[in-house]
Amino acid sequence: MNVREQLKKGYIVFDGGQGTQFQKMGMLPGTIPETLNVTNPNMVRRMYEGYVLAGADVITTNTFGANRKKLGSHEEVVKCVEAAAKLAREVAKDKCVALDLGPLGELIEPIGSLTFDEAYESFKEVVDIAKPFVDLVIVETMTDLYETKAAVMAVKENSDLPVFCTMTFMETMRTFTGTSVEAFALTLSPFVDAIGINCSLGPRQILPIMKELAKWTDKPLMIQANAGIPDAQMNYPVKPKEFAEYYKKYINLGVQVLGGCCGTTPDYTREIRALVDSSEFKPREVHVPCAVCSASDVVVLNQDSVEIIGERINPTGKKAMKQALLNDDFDYITNQALAQVEANATILDVNAGLPEIDEKAMLTRMVKHVQSIVTVPLQIDCGKPDAIEQALRYYNGRAIVNSVNGEDKSLNSILPIVKKYGAAVVGLTIDERGLPKSTQERVEIAEKIIKRCKEFGIREEDILIDCLTLTVSVEKDQARKTLDAIAEIKKKYSVKFVLGVSNVSFGLPNRQIVNSTFVKTALAFGLNCPIINPNIKENAEAIKSFKETKNDYDKEFFYKEFMDSVENNMNFTVEEVAPIPETERDIFYYIKRGLKGAKTACLKLLETNDPIVVINDYLIPALNEVGDEYEKGKIFLPQLIASAESAKECFAEIKTILAKQNGEETDRGTIVIGTVKGDIHDIGKNIVKTVLENYGYRLIDLGKNVEPQLFVDTAKKHKAKLVGLSALMTTTVGSMEETIKLLKEQYPECQTFVGGAVLNEDYAAKIGATYYTKDANQSVKVANLVYNH
């Protein structure tokens, strides 16, 4: 079967859960399933054969966790991956084989220490080994959009294999790191052949999430649901026939690729095969809105949109920003980013255009830094193809590229990059002839840009045209020509419009009144995205005024107001809504935003307050506010981690002071934590550790694949009142139960909390755990309860 051709004309049936089958075949508790490829290939063969006989079109290699981060060395990865792929190829015969890439199990930047490039190389290593034996790649069960992008790019750039990609979502329609369904679709659709959802939930719970995904991608859809949510005995409630009945709804939605995840066996595959064979294939029709996004925030751009693009992270005409770039002063960039978002900018422009610096390297650093501080989407402002490509590579979302122009050189060098990364693009109406003098020239250049974009496969809706704001102090009528060009183009095309507003007043003594009246006028003529300083009060008020009055006044009314402002050029004082001065920022400001200045604020508090007062009255309340926002879905895991890291240095400073006062180190309590025997997945455990440490607790981290007796011995040695146990795999929850039993027998005064994707509250109670915690924030609440804080 040719995978790409089959996607054009019909359905594809994937296999089901592998761990479920291995358990039925007698896999010993604590065994790492991927090692069976070498130690027990007959068991793996039988697992593959079961799905082949059940009618699966695609057999997935037993390599979900087979990467260097989990297996330890290149040699082990080669042995495990090659054995799995060769065996699948042998068993599959005329069926297709999919290389399975799962999460690496480590936190990726900015919430962890693993870099994008390190993640990319880990995935590339596996792809290079397996590609001679497989027909496609499935990147699955991902929760972090940035890691997912690294995996998908590793496939696309190192093979010509089709790539399918699925993430795992909670019923909130977000992954546990905060990635939204829309951001997943917008960011990764340009790279993949099919996109979908797997794991965590059953087919009933996933259906509304799939319906949302279907609105945001035109790529074939894929579903691999669990057989429901297991009960306390780890029995999956949705049986094969009921599972297939649910899948009829997915067929009706237009889902083409259907398989199973945890709890599904060949019996489920057999029912899916029968459903597919009896269903008529109808191609899905969808029109995806134009939108840009970060990993968590989406901004939709339609023809009536009004979205502020903040202009302040740009050295052009800004001495302070220029100096910040020359001095490598990223604190200044942080402040500008936060201030603009707090002033209601919904997109931030990022520009590193200084001749004195390496623009390519600096632009990438700025993009990575700004996306770690704020969640709004970014506009990458650069004309150099190599710098644009590198910035887009490291951007975690769907960006706007500002810009191309009407010159063939610009179009031919930049548009392929825009297409590759699926970005939106700004087209400047300027070409080899220089600045356009007439409305018609602007229209003609815009039409050329639109035509060339379409030739490269870029949709009309994803183009923003900049008709150029020229100063009225030189040629007064140029403003009208710009506005008329917007109106004329808008009649013919579904493009959006962007303008750098402040250029219009260049050379005038009292610029802001001209700027503020011009922005309303341009909005009336069809401008969608003014690039402005949102911290200037008059700019914000002008946009608010337009939104309130646009149905009451036509564009000529606004134009007259603008021209009057040019003629009068009255005395005017600009009132800028400045960022909070550094001297007035308290520790709450720094911790809630995850900034480095928390330590300085803490030291200032310690000058007049007892260390315990600082902990109880400042640090903990600040972190609790962040935790409350996390629970309400106002912020997500990256922001929670950043805030916790911001508080970390404060606790370290206070511990040092208390140790000097008391003669020994003081902490809020000791907690032993680890991933249970047989399980090598520790990303969730690492998140919990990070947050608890930054609340002032002392964590003894035993790592992964931890023997039950080691948990007991360590807890007794350190007199810990609390032990945290993590497990991701259904095959290792038995080790968790064994550990809890041993703790109760040998160290009964110790309490336990458990977490992991395969657990729920009922199961936690069944195995005797004191507490079940679904995330890091709940772990903090448990620790506070146990240690009476």
Side-chain angles (χ1 to χ4, degrees):
M1 179 178 69
N2 182 301
V3 174
R4 290 192 173 106
E5 287 300 314
Q6 182 62 21
L7 286 174
K8 295 176 183 178
K9 62 185 181 182
Y11 300 104
I12 296 176
V13 176
F14 261 66
D15 53 10
Q18 297 187 352
T20 310
Q21 290 302 93
F22 288 144
Q23 284 178 312
K24 285 186 173 183
M25 294 175 187
M27 181 178 70
L28 295 175
T31 301
I32 298 170
E34 290 81 6
T35 63
L36 295 172
N37 301 324
V38 177
T39 62
N40 196 342
N42 286 333
M43 183 180 288
V44 179
R45 177 190 296 276
R46 282 186 287 138
M47 183 273 294
Y48 288 153
E49 287 174 341
Y51 288 112
V52 169
L53 294 172
D57 296 313
V58 179
I59 303 303
T60 307
T61 61
N62 179 35
T63 55
F64 178 80
N67 57 70
R68 194 184 299 201
K69 293 294 178 183
K70 292 178 179 177
L71 296 182
S73 70
H74 175 69
E75 291 72 25
E76 288 300 313
V77 175
V78 171
K79 281 197 302 184
C80 189
V81 172
E82 199 170 81
K86 284 182 177 180
L87 189 56
R89 179 79 279 156
E90 179 186 331
V91 173
K93 296 179 181 176
D94 61 336
K95 307 286 186 179
C96 289
V97 174
L99 171 65
D100 189 4
L101 296 179
L104 296 174
E106 291 189 20
L107 294 170
I108 195 169
E109 59 185 359
I111 58 176
S113 58
L114 185 67
T115 69
F116 182 90
D117 289 335
E118 288 171 337
Y120 175 94
E121 289 299 324
S122 290
F123 290 119
K124 177 182 179 299
E125 180 178 41
V126 180
V127 171
D128 286 342
I129 296 164
K131 63 186 177 184
F133 311 105
V134 302
D135 303 291
L136 69 152
V137 179
I138 171 70
V139 176
E140 67 167 345
T141 323
M142 305 298 279
T143 59
D144 184 335
L145 185 64
Y146 212 26
E147 182 183 18
T148 312
K149 182 178 179 180
V152 169
M153 289 186 64
V155 180
K156 297 297 289 184
E157 294 180 347
N158 297 283
S159 77
D160 59 359
L161 295 167
V163 56
F164 293 11
C165 181
T166 59
M167 293 190 79
T168 180
F169 290 87
M170 302 180 291
E171 289 185 80
T172 58
M173 296 197 184
R174 290 186 181 270
T175 71
F176 88 90
T177 64
T179 297
S180 69
V181 174
E182 307 98 296
F184 168 46
L186 290 167
T187 303
L188 291 178
S189 289
F191 298 99
V192 301
D193 295 273
I195 190 167
I197 301 166
N198 82 305
C199 205
S200 291
L201 302 169
R204 178 178 63 81
Q205 293 89 354
I206 290 178
L207 186 60
I209 309 173
M210 183 65 78
K211 287 180 178 178
E212 187 65 21
L213 179 64
K215 299 174 186 176
W216 294 94
T217 182
D218 57 3
K219 292 296 177 73
L221 298 172
M222 179 175 186
I223 176 67
Q224 287 187 299
N226 288 352
I229 300 172
D231 61 18
Q233 287 73 43
M234 292 305 291
N235 295 315
Y236 287 86
V238 183
K239 303 308 176 187
K241 289 190 179 296
E242 184 185 1
F243 193 87
E245 278 296 312
Y246 275 118
Y247 267 29
K248 286 182 180 178
K249 297 178 181 179
Y250 289 88
I251 293 274
N252 293 336
L253 188 60
V255 178
Q256 283 182 250
V257 185
L258 303 99
C261 203
C262 300
T264 62
T265 67
D267 289 337
Y268 291 76
T269 306
R270 199 168 286 110
E271 293 294 336
I272 295 171
R273 177 82 267 168
L275 170 65
V276 164
D277 289 345
S278 64
S279 300
E280 179 185 357
F281 173 69
K282 295 179 181 178
R284 188 170 64 96
E285 295 183 8
V286 61
H287 181 79
V288 179
C290 173
V292 292
C293 68
S294 65
S296 58
D297 289 7
V298 174
V299 175
V300 178
L301 301 174
N302 56 51
Q303 287 198 301
D304 295 322
S305 293
V306 177
E307 302 294 342
I308 296 174
I309 301 179
E311 70 176 9
R312 299 299 298 168
I313 308 176
N314 184 332
T316 306
K318 303 176 186 69
K319 291 181 180 180
M321 178 58 72
K322 177 179 178 179
Q323 200 59 48
L325 294 182
L326 292 173
N327 295 343
D328 218 30
D329 182 2
F330 275 74
D331 285 343
Y332 183 85
I333 295 169
T334 295
N335 292 334
Q336 291 298 323
L338 287 169
Q340 290 183 99
V341 172
E342 288 166 2
N344 296 316
T346 52
I347 301 168
L348 295 187
D349 185 83
V350 179
N351 182 300
L354 275 182
E356 301 96 323
I357 63 175
D358 180 343
E359 184 174 357
K360 177 181 176 181
M362 180 58 78
L363 182 63
T364 299
R365 288 181 64 201
M366 290 169 70
V367 165
K368 292 172 74 172
H369 179 74
V370 173
Q371 74 181 8
S372 75
I373 297 298
V374 297
T375 61
V376 299
L378 302 185
Q379 174 172 274
I380 295 169
D381 189 351
C382 181
K384 297 179 179 179
D386 61 337
I388 293 170
E389 173 144 29
Q390 184 163 288
L392 286 173
R393 181 181 189 82
Y394 293 105
Y395 180 59
N396 191 16
R398 185 180 195 238
I400 301 173
V401 171
N402 183 11
S403 60
V404 296
N405 58 52
E407 296 184 22
D408 288 332
K409 180 181 178 182
S410 173
L411 294 165
N412 291 335
S413 61
I414 295 176
L415 290 183
I417 299 168
V418 171
K419 174 60 179 175
K420 174 182 176 180
Y421 290 91
V425 63
V426 173
L428 291 173
T429 56
I430 187 173
D431 59 16
E432 294 87 349
R433 297 169 293 179
L435 292 171
K437 297 297 183 183
S438 67
T439 296
Q440 192 55 39
E441 281 184 71
R442 288 173 167 85
V443 174
E444 288 172 359
I445 297 170
E447 289 181 329
K448 177 183 178 180
I449 293 170
I450 293 166
K451 180 182 177 183
R452 294 300 305 281
C453 283
K454 290 181 178 178
E455 290 171 0
F456 280 97
I458 298 166
R459 300 187 314 163
E460 190 174 299
E461 298 93 322
D462 295 325
I463 305 167
L464 294 86
I465 295 296
D466 186 339
C467 290
L468 300 178
T469 309
L470 303 180
T471 177
V472 292
S473 65
V474 177
E475 292 184 66
K476 196 177 297 184
D477 65 342
Q478 282 299 315
R480 182 68 197 220
K481 291 173 182 176
T482 294
L483 298 172
D484 285 341
I486 291 174
E488 186 171 337
I489 297 165
K490 196 177 185 75
K491 290 176 185 176
K492 299 180 182 179
Y493 302 98
S494 58
V495 298
K496 316 306 181 297
F497 296 91
V498 61
L499 284 176
V501 171
S502 59
N503 292 341
V504 75
S505 63
F506 188 77
L508 297 177
N510 300 296
R511 299 180 63 184
Q512 187 52 45
I513 194 166
V514 178
N515 292 346
S516 60
T517 54
F518 180 68
V519 71
K520 283 193 295 184
T521 307
L523 291 169
F525 275 75
L527 174 64
N528 302 106
C529 299
I531 304 175
I532 62 170
N533 179 355
N535 296 102
I536 293 177
K537 181 180 178 182
E538 287 71 26
N539 284 339
E541 288 181 346
I543 292 173
K544 180 181 178 183
S545 172
F546 171 78
K547 289 180 177 180
E548 292 174 349
T549 61
K550 65 178 180 178
N551 295 324
D552 298 325
Y553 299 105
D554 62 23
K555 59 189 179 184
E556 295 302 331
F557 172 88
F558 286 110
Y559 184 72
K560 182 179 183 304
E561 185 181 45
F562 163 60
M563 291 309 297
D564 286 345
S565 74
V566 174
E567 292 293 339
N568 295 332
N569 198 18
M570 63 186 72
N571 291 329
F572 187 83
T573 301
V574 175
E575 184 179 343
E576 181 164 350
V577 183
I580 299 172
E582 198 161 335
T583 54
E584 296 180 18
R585 295 176 186 170
D586 61 15
I587 200 164
F588 283 82
Y589 178 92
Y590 290 104
I591 291 177
K592 289 181 71 175
R593 290 161 179 80
L595 302 178
K596 294 180 180 178
K599 179 180 177 181
T600 302
C602 179
L603 290 172
K604 186 177 179 181
L605 285 172
L606 288 168
E607 292 174 3
T608 55
N609 291 276
D610 183 82
I612 299 300
V613 171
V614 174
I615 290 175
N616 292 333
D617 293 357
Y618 294 92
L619 296 183
I620 298 304
L623 286 169
N624 286 342
E625 283 188 33
V626 174
D628 289 342
E629 290 194 352
Y630 174 76
E631 287 199 343
K632 293 174 183 175
K634 294 180 178 179
I635 63 169
F636 306 102
L637 186 63
Q639 293 78 48
L640 180 70
I641 295 285
S643 293
E645 287 289 346
S646 180
K648 186 174 186 177
E649 289 187 339
C650 301
F651 279 112
E653 193 66 35
I654 290 171
K655 283 182 180 181
T656 301
I657 294 171
L658 290 174
K660 290 178 181 178
Q661 290 178 357
N662 304 331
E664 59 181 17
E665 187 175 329
T666 303
D667 54 54
R668 304 183 80 229
T670 298
I671 301 170
V672 175
I673 195 168
T675 303
V676 298
K677 181 182 177 182
D679 205 319
I680 57 172
H681 303 90
D682 62 356
I683 188 168
K685 181 264 295 178
N686 290 341
I687 291 168
V688 170
K689 175 191 173 186
T690 298
V691 174
L692 283 169
E693 281 182 333
N694 297 337
Y695 264 80
Y697 289 99
R698 180 189 179 208
L699 271 290
I700 310 296
D701 183 5
L702 298 179
K704 49 198 175 186
N705 192 23
V706 181
E707 292 284 346
Q709 189 62 51
L710 183 57
F711 278 109
V712 178
D713 293 344
T714 306
K716 291 171 72 174
K717 176 182 176 181
H718 294 280
K719 297 182 173 59
K721 293 182 181 180
L722 189 61
V723 171
L725 307 175
S726 173
L728 178 69
M729 302 159 59
T730 56
T731 55
T732 59
V733 289
S735 296
M736 184 176 281
E737 184 173 15
E738 182 185 349
T739 303
I740 292 171
K741 182 180 178 183
L742 212 59
L743 277 164
K744 286 185 174 181
E745 291 173 354
Q746 299 182 25
Y747 190 39
E749 56 267 45
C750 182
Q751 301 183 59
T752 54
F753 69 103
V754 298
V758 295
L759 298 172
N760 56 37
E761 198 160 353
D762 288 342
Y763 188 74
K766 174 184 176 291
I767 62 176
T770 319
Y771 304 100
Y772 164 71
T773 58
K774 67 177 183 178
D775 56 38
N777 201 50
Q778 285 200 349
S779 299
V780 171
K781 291 183 177 180
V782 165
N784 290 344
L785 185 65
V786 170
Y787 283 99
N788 300 311
H789 291 307

